[in-house]
């Protein structure tokens, strides 16, 4: 998730030849974030009852953070695509 800041900077400051690589990296990052979110949510679903839910309550916040990062990566990739397609 912390790579998004670097990729955002690269999308704005890098040479034009590198911007397509940044967009590709964002797509791969989005896929990884989706996989992590899906796996975490499945595991949390399995823990959804009893004391484990309380013990691991912070993991629901992590799942939400993964979803926000995935959305941010998608939005940044869309902005790059719009810039490239001009």
């Amino acid at each position: 998730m912390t790579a998004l800041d670097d990729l955002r900077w690269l999308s704005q400051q890098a040479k034009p030849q590198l911007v397509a690589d940044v967009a590709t990296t964002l797509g791969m990052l989005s896929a990884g974030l989706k996989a992590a979110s899906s796996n975490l949510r499945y595991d949390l679903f399995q823990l959804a009852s009893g004391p484990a839910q309380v013990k691991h309550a912070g993991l629901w916040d992590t799942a939400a953070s993964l979803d926000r990062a995935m959305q941010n990566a998608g939005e940044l990739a869309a902005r790059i695509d719009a810039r490239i397609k001009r």
Side-chain angles (χ1 to χ4, degrees):
M1 291 186 292
T2 58
L4 279 171
D5 291 334
D6 293 332
L7 291 169
R8 188 174 290 108
W9 183 88
L10 281 170
S11 74
Q12 297 166 351
Q13 305 297 325
K15 294 180 180 181
Q17 299 88 335
L18 185 60
V19 174
D21 294 329
V22 173
T24 301
T25 302
L26 285 163
M28 294 175 5
L29 177 61
S30 291
L33 290 167
K34 177 63 177 169
S37 176
S38 295
N39 283 320
L40 180 56
R41 286 182 187 283
Y42 176 80
D43 292 343
L44 289 172
F45 177 76
Q46 298 301 310
L47 299 173
S49 61
Q53 183 178 10
V54 174
K55 183 177 178 182
H56 300 292
L59 291 176
W60 290 103
D61 293 335
T62 300
S65 294
L66 288 167
D67 291 342
R68 280 191 303 276
M70 189 172 42
Q71 180 178 354
N72 291 339
E75 290 170 358
L76 181 55
R79 286 195 302 271
I80 291 171
D81 285 345
R83 216 170 68 204
I84 292 171
K85 291 178 182 175
R86 286 194 265 170

